[in-house]
Amino acid sequence: METPPIRITADEINCLIYSYFKDSGFNHSAFALCTEGGLQKSAWFSKHIPRGELVDLLSKALLYLEVESHWRGDAMTTNCKNKFSLLEHHICSSDPSSSTVLKSPAISSVTSRSLPIPKPTADKTLPSEQGVSTPRDSQVRPISSETFYSTAPTPQMNGTLTPGEPTTKRKVSPIQIDGPAEKRAKREPDDMEVEASIQNTDNTRSTYDNGTDVLKRARTRINQGPLDDTTDPKAIMMLPGHRTEVFVCAFNPTKHTQLATGSKDAVVNLWSLPEPPASKDEFATWNGNPITINNYQKDVQGDLTALNWNPEGTLLAIGSYDSVLRILTSEGGAHFTHNQHRGPIFSVRFSQNGRWLLSASLDETTCLWDVKEKRLIRQYRCHQDCCLDAEWLDDTTFVTGGADGNIYVMKTDSPEPIKKFSGHTDEINQLKCNPSRTRLASCSDDNTTRIWKTDKIEADSDEIIPGLAASDQMVVLTGHTHSVSVIGWMPAHKPGTNELMATSSFDGTVRVWDTVAGKCTKILTDHKRPVYALAFSPDGKWLATGSGDGWLLIYWVKTWEKRWSWYAGHDKPGVFEIAWQMESGVNRLAVALECRQVAIIDASRIPALWDVEEAVNGAAQAVV
């Protein structure tokens, strides 16, 4: 298939420069560019442009130049010490003083990494990201309204880093000065058509015909808060109790006022949230202190990776990088602690009856624990690489997924797997059953998600052959152009229709799938960085997504229209995890943030999230 041409328009470039001026505080230059270029009439003007996007793209251009100059891998290119510059032709030399390269502190520091860099395995740390320097203010004449095309091929960057790219997909916070966190680099999109409408679909954003009004409204908003003007900022309650990045959060399933959160420094906070006021004109406030549990080993990395409540809401299991399994009571006391694992624990899962607990570790094993008796029942050693997730199919059957690309089906009373699902060609990031627990979804670094039938595993038990292929029961979902990180089954579907599922990826998109037909029904392309989190509302009407670009977006699933946007803030903007709670008259989201805070969003106080379907039906009846 012929590679499509690269398309660059003058409007896109002018909007990037305008956004750069606004970010840098050059308001006069931004106004001049907006007026002379007629940007308020451009379809690109309403698109969200992340802070520092222009510099990020220029940095990637320098990386392309580095690949173009050093692809041969001979002695000269391997030992080259000369830096790369936007305005100076690069000449390879082992003597850095032999060239008069113009050195920019912003760019040279980013591109000084050697290439290639191998793909990490068990190493889950992130490199520092470099800051961006700000040039002097200057007037820039808009580029003429031509459209430029290039058919130059894009180099394959597998195994290399792009500027600002951390070396892992795990929830470990980068050290950064400016710009969003990113766990892996974005690849180029594939040939599949993406529904990237340039029209403004966020009905909470107003449009302005006057360029001055547009400037006043600060299109490239960088302060923490909602994007629209109808949401009262008091509907978002910020919990500031953590000292480092918050990676995980989980509501207590039976005590709706209790929330557990965990951060990079291995601290677990148990919050007692206030009840929402009865009136929609009032807002809950936080004035207390959480119960703080801080009992990790000080001499090892302690990033928290997983929190899971038992069904009764009395116990909380914790997974951590320090390899120690911990179970807390809902009051914060220690129920059980064990150091059986020899590597970071990435997943902890209580069984549906609460009797058992699974812990999956980078030491390639999964442990089965008796919760009541506080003892290890069995340690499974099936995988040939890190075990990254585990999921219960029923009270006695569970599955594990690993970096070896395999899924093993286990029974609590058997030391060996009863079946092996294979097909993934790279590590498996997450396993998740559908609501009826008849099918299992697995997502992977091979850019695919696979759906496996699990309702007849017992019937197949007469074929107890480890390694048995299950391709005849598998649906493969393809379309993402980078690692698929999170799976979300729609909580309910209408009788006679196929189950839907959403997946998020480091390619910056969210895809909605018909899991029976294996077709992508919608692509959401509003995020500009890897999407780390997604969550359906328990009633199935809404989908929330969170990204390294700092944006939390909420979509109405009936039309997949983006209804509400909230920005986590300029400093450390990443959105790492979302939990959605709907019970006892409460409708709220908990959001774990890179900025060391937890956001509690009261969805019942957000006009854009009031029952859209009822409003539409009411308007239709009024017309009739």
Side-chain angles (χ1 to χ4, degrees), residues 34 41 63 103 108 110 263 266 274 279 289 292 330 343 347-348 403 409 468 476 478 507 588 592 610:
C34 179
K41 300 178 181 179
L63 185 64
K103 297 181 179 180
S108 62
V110 172
S263 55
S279 171
N289 294 307
T292 299
S330 58
S347 178
V348 286
V409 183
L468 180 67
V476 183
T478 60
D507 64 11
R588 58 189 170 194
W610 292 346

Side-chain angles (χ1 to χ4, degrees), residues 108-365:
S108 62
S109 61
V110 172
T111 58
S112 60
R113 302 169 179 157
S114 58
L115 294 177
I117 297 177
K119 177 184 176 181
T121 53
D123 182 12
K124 304 299 174 183
T125 59
L126 300 178
S128 299
E129 293 187 4
Q130 305 297 331
V132 177
S133 62
T134 303
R136 294 186 302 273
D137 191 1
S138 59
Q139 298 292 333
V140 177
R141 185 175 183 82
I143 301 174
S144 61
S145 56
E146 298 179 9
T147 300
F148 303 94
Y149 291 88
S150 170
T151 57
T154 302
Q156 296 298 317
M157 306 286 280
N158 295 337
T160 64
L161 290 176
T162 61
E165 176 197 359
T167 60
T168 175
K169 63 174 178 292
R170 307 303 169 200
K171 290 178 180 175
V172 181
S173 175
I175 301 172
Q176 66 178 34
I177 298 175
D178 192 10
E182 203 168 320
K183 298 177 186 176
R184 288 196 182 182
K186 293 182 290 185
R187 296 176 186 168
E188 294 298 323
D190 57 12
D191 295 331
M192 181 173 179
E193 182 178 355
V194 177
E195 294 182 17
S197 173
I198 61 176
Q199 300 298 324
N200 179 19
T201 60
D202 188 348
N203 69 348
T204 64
R205 184 202 301 260
S206 300
T207 56
Y208 303 88
D209 295 330
N210 185 283
T212 303
D213 290 338
V214 174
L215 292 173
K216 289 181 180 179
R217 302 297 296 195
R219 180 184 56 83
T220 54
R221 183 172 186 164
I222 62 173
N223 295 326
Q224 185 183 81
L227 183 64
D228 64 296
D229 295 325
T230 61
T231 301
D232 192 313
K234 293 192 291 294
I236 297 90
M237 181 170 58
M238 304 304 297
L239 307 181
H242 285 283
R243 298 186 299 272
T244 57
E245 297 85 342
V246 186
F247 291 152
V248 286
C249 59
F251 282 108
N252 188 309
T254 60
K255 187 178 180 181
H256 68 270
T257 58
Q258 187 170 44
L259 172 72
T261 59
S263 55
K264 178 180 173 62
D265 58 3
V267 170
V268 174
N269 280 341
L270 297 178
W271 309 84
S272 181
L273 302 178
E275 295 279 1
S279 171
K280 287 190 176 182
D281 297 328
E282 300 177 10
F283 300 90
T285 58
W286 171 256
N287 297 316
N289 294 307
I291 299 173
T292 299
I293 299 94
N294 184 356
N295 60 350
Y296 73 104
Q297 304 175 43
K298 302 295 183 180
D299 57 341
V300 297
Q301 185 178 1
D303 307 43
L304 290 188
T305 58
L307 296 175
N308 187 242
W309 289 96
N310 69 342
E312 296 78 20
T314 57
L315 298 175
L316 176 69
I318 303 170
S320 171
Y321 260 74
D322 68 1
S323 308
V324 179
L325 174 68
R326 295 179 178 87
I327 303 177
L328 303 178
T329 67
S330 58
E331 291 77 26
H335 174 77
F336 179 62
T337 301
H338 205 288
N339 58 358
Q340 179 71 23
H341 284 295
R342 294 295 180 265
I345 299 173
F346 262 34
S347 178
V348 286
R349 295 284 179 88
F350 282 101
S351 60
Q352 291 172 289
N353 61 7
R355 178 182 177 183
W356 312 106
L357 175 71
L358 296 173
S359 58
S361 169
L362 297 191
D363 64 7
E364 305 179 5
T365 72

Side-chain angles (χ1 to χ4, degrees), residues 298-469:
K298 302 295 183 180
D299 57 341
V300 297
Q301 185 178 1
D303 307 43
L304 290 188
T305 58
L307 296 175
N308 187 242
W309 289 96
N310 69 342
E312 296 78 20
T314 57
L315 298 175
L316 176 69
I318 303 170
S320 171
Y321 260 74
D322 68 1
S323 308
V324 179
L325 174 68
R326 295 179 178 87
I327 303 177
L328 303 178
T329 67
S330 58
E331 291 77 26
H335 174 77
F336 179 62
T337 301
H338 205 288
N339 58 358
Q340 179 71 23
H341 284 295
R342 294 295 180 265
I345 299 173
F346 262 34
S347 178
V348 286
R349 295 284 179 88
F350 282 101
S351 60
Q352 291 172 289
N353 61 7
R355 178 182 177 183
W356 312 106
L357 175 71
L358 296 173
S359 58
S361 169
L362 297 191
D363 64 7
E364 305 179 5
T365 72
T366 303
C367 286
L368 174 66
W369 306 88
D370 187 307
V371 177
K372 183 177 180 180
E373 297 184 8
K374 304 180 184 181
R375 66 184 180 93
L376 175 68
I377 300 298
R378 189 171 292 109
Q379 189 167 19
Y380 298 84
R381 303 180 182 275
C382 305
H383 292 283
Q384 302 302 310
D385 206 333
C386 306
C387 188
L388 300 176
D389 201 9
E391 170 76 313
W392 289 95
L393 302 182
D394 55 44
D395 287 333
T396 60
T397 311
F398 62 92
V399 291
T400 63
D404 57 6
N406 295 321
I407 300 171
Y408 290 98
V409 183
M410 316 281 194
K411 300 290 288 186
T412 55
D413 58 356
S414 174
E416 299 296 331
I418 64 172
K419 184 163 290 188
K420 172 184 172 183
F421 292 157
S422 26
H424 283 296
T425 58
D426 209 330
E427 62 185 64
I428 295 170
N429 296 318
Q430 190 178 50
L431 302 171
K432 189 167 288 188
C433 280
N434 65 344
S436 62
R437 297 196 171 268
T438 57
R439 295 194 295 161
L440 173 75
S442 59
C443 63
S444 168
D445 280 358
D446 64 9
N447 306 351
T448 72
T449 301
R450 294 169 187 256
I451 312 295
W452 316 84
K453 289 186 65 176
T454 57
D455 56 341
K456 294 183 179 180
I457 288 182
E458 288 292 338
D460 294 340
S461 61
D462 58 332
E463 303 175 347
I464 303 178
I465 306 174
L468 180 67

